[in-house]
Amino acid sequence: MRVLLLDVMDTLVRDPFYEDVPAFFGMDLPTLIATKDPHAWPAFERGEIDEHEMLASFFADRRSFDHDAFRAHVKAGYAMLPGVEALLGELAERGVRMYALSNYPTWSEWIDERVGLSRFLDWRFVSWRTGVRKPDPEAYRVPLRELSVDAHECLFVDDRESNCVAARREGLAAHRFEHAEGLRAELVRRGLLDRQR
């Protein structure tokens, strides 16, 4: 394997959407999902609308809320998942080429401010830059073209099986992330790490 393509949210970094965001609005997750605009966030992730437009259309009924407080609440929720930082450090020491292949908006810059992922990986394939979201086949083709690598030379890691299935359809090896220990074992098996620590 020459290249590691990594999802970020709930693979490397805790995603605030599932607990922190509903709590901010005093809702449970199903209520939040039922009341938010289904198109605003995906458009934000593809870079089609900016942050102001996304916040203005976050809810289907366009209700108002404190945007500054919301932004601060989300930003405070980013944290590296257990064991991930050490694992990325080991991979970096070995010179493994790592890139984010993640559905996320410009707020990826907040993640980097909080946890410093750019110490380990290149963010160029995050969806707001490429304009395409997984599991669209083009999301996987973009890094292959830009890096001039074949699909079989890449390992894709994601917490969602649907994204892993889509990657395999494009010829990439894929590992569904559940925890850092499981990923470490997969990386050892594929020769990207020498041994378990």
Side-chain angles (χ1 to χ4, degrees):
M1 293 291 166
R2 293 177 56 196
V3 172
L4 195 52
L5 299 172
L6 298 162
D7 175 53
V8 173
M9 305 314 295
D10 281 340
T11 299
L12 306 180
V13 173
R14 176 182 179 272
D15 190 341
F17 180 80
Y18 297 100
E19 294 179 19
D20 300 359
V21 171
F24 177 84
F25 293 112
M27 301 177 179
D28 59 22
L29 182 60
T31 303
L32 177 65
I33 290 171
T35 54
K36 73 182 186 65
D37 186 299
H39 307 293
W41 184 259
F44 187 35
E45 285 192 328
R46 289 189 299 267
E48 296 167 358
I49 62 174
D50 63 19
E51 178 187 280
H52 175 77
E53 293 172 286
M54 186 280 294
L55 292 171
S57 57
F58 186 84
F59 286 106
D61 63 7
R62 303 302 190 256
R63 72 188 69 175
S64 62
F65 59 93
D66 186 334
H67 293 177
D68 289 339
F70 177 72
R71 293 168 77 254
H73 193 77
V74 170
K75 189 172 183 178
Y78 297 127
M80 206 85 85
L81 293 179
V84 164
E85 186 168 13
L87 188 56
L88 293 177
E90 291 174 46
L91 289 162
E93 286 175 14
R94 291 213 40 180
V96 176
R97 296 165 62 192
M98 294 179 276
Y99 299 84
L101 179 52
S102 193
N103 296 343
Y104 220 62
T106 53
W107 290 357
S108 61
E109 295 172 355
W110 295 357
I111 297 172
D112 210 43
E113 289 172 20
R114 289 280 294 174
V115 303
L117 273 183
S118 59
R119 290 174 291 156
F120 308 113
L121 57 74
D122 186 314
W123 281 97
R124 77 179 75 174
F125 304 122
V126 68
S127 62
W128 74 268
R129 295 182 184 275
T130 64
V132 63
R133 297 172 75 243
K134 301 168 298 183
D136 188 315
E138 185 65 13
Y140 308 94
R141 295 169 186 168
V142 169
L144 300 181
R145 285 198 304 268
E146 292 201 13
L147 299 174
S148 298
V149 294
D150 293 329
H152 71 271
E153 298 177 290
C154 301
L155 175 62
F156 171 70
V157 180
D158 198 296
D159 64 303
R160 294 192 178 194
E161 182 61 22
S162 58
N163 290 336
C164 291
V165 168
R168 293 184 192 110
R169 286 190 186 123
E170 295 302 309
L172 288 82
H175 171 77
R176 183 180 180 187
F177 179 88
E178 295 181 22
H179 43 69
E181 293 79 8
L183 177 55
R184 181 187 297 279
E186 180 71 5
L187 294 170
V188 169
R189 188 178 76 80
R190 292 184 177 276
L192 288 168
L193 291 177
D194 284 332
R195 57 184 173 80
Q196 302 271 4
R197 281 193 182 180

